[in-house]
Amino acid sequence: MEGKPLIKISVSDNAWQARLASRFLKSDNAAIVFGRNIYLWGSSKQAFLGNQRWLLHELQHVLQYQRDGFTGFIFKYFINHIRYGYRNNPYEVEARAAEQNEELLKQFDLP
Ligand SMILES: [Zn+2]
């Protein structure tokens, strides 16, 4: 029996996309996900990959893109952000819950 193919992700540090997110979040470091690509600011790729809670959080966002599609995710995330704000956005609530879920790692081909 074959399992589902692993989801291959990329991680880029010093990324302007994440710099914008860090300003928005008023945080020294930030990650932002587009599809299977994770962009970082204020953290090296190695530090990010070594921080399991943070990694799991962002991997859940990758799964949300898989579930909703690229445009669907962006659109619904934005609508939810307006409606609920950053912290209570259901996408963020789900990603925070995933920070404890090590099982998620099995679905990914990490760099
Ligand atoms: Zn998040």
Side-chain angles (χ1 to χ4, degrees):
M1 217 171 82
E2 288 181 35
K4 279 198 247 174
L6 297 178
I7 302 163
K8 194 170 175 64
I9 62 155
S10 82
V11 179
S12 312
D13 47 23
N14 275 306
W16 64 267
Q17 297 92 333
R19 188 178 181 196
L20 293 179
S22 78
R23 285 190 190 166
F24 171 77
L25 295 168
K26 297 178 171 57
S27 171
D28 292 338
N29 52 55
I32 190 164
V33 181
F34 290 105
R36 298 175 181 208
N37 307 304
I38 301 174
Y39 298 95
L40 305 173
W41 181 258
S43 170
S44 69
K45 187 173 165 175
Q46 287 315 312
F48 170 71
L49 291 169
N51 182 335
Q52 186 165 271
R53 284 183 56 117
W54 192 13
L55 175 62
L56 288 168
H57 181 108
E58 305 308 334
L59 290 179
Q60 182 62 46
H61 286 314
V62 174
L63 291 177
Q64 291 165 349
Y65 274 100
Q66 303 271 309
R67 184 178 68 205
D68 295 350
F70 190 86
T71 314
F73 172 84
I74 300 276
F75 181 74
K76 289 190 217 164
Y77 185 98
F78 182 70
I79 296 289
N80 279 305
H81 179 78
I82 290 170
R83 206 164 165 189
Y84 301 108
Y86 174 72
R87 200 165 169 78
N88 294 321
N89 183 334
Y91 287 98
E92 290 303 333
V93 173
E94 187 184 32
R96 282 201 304 276
E99 292 172 11
Q100 318 293 339
N101 183 8
E102 287 183 37
E103 291 290 302
L104 276 192
L105 295 171
K106 293 179 183 170
Q107 298 183 55
F108 290 91
D109 179 2
L110 299 174

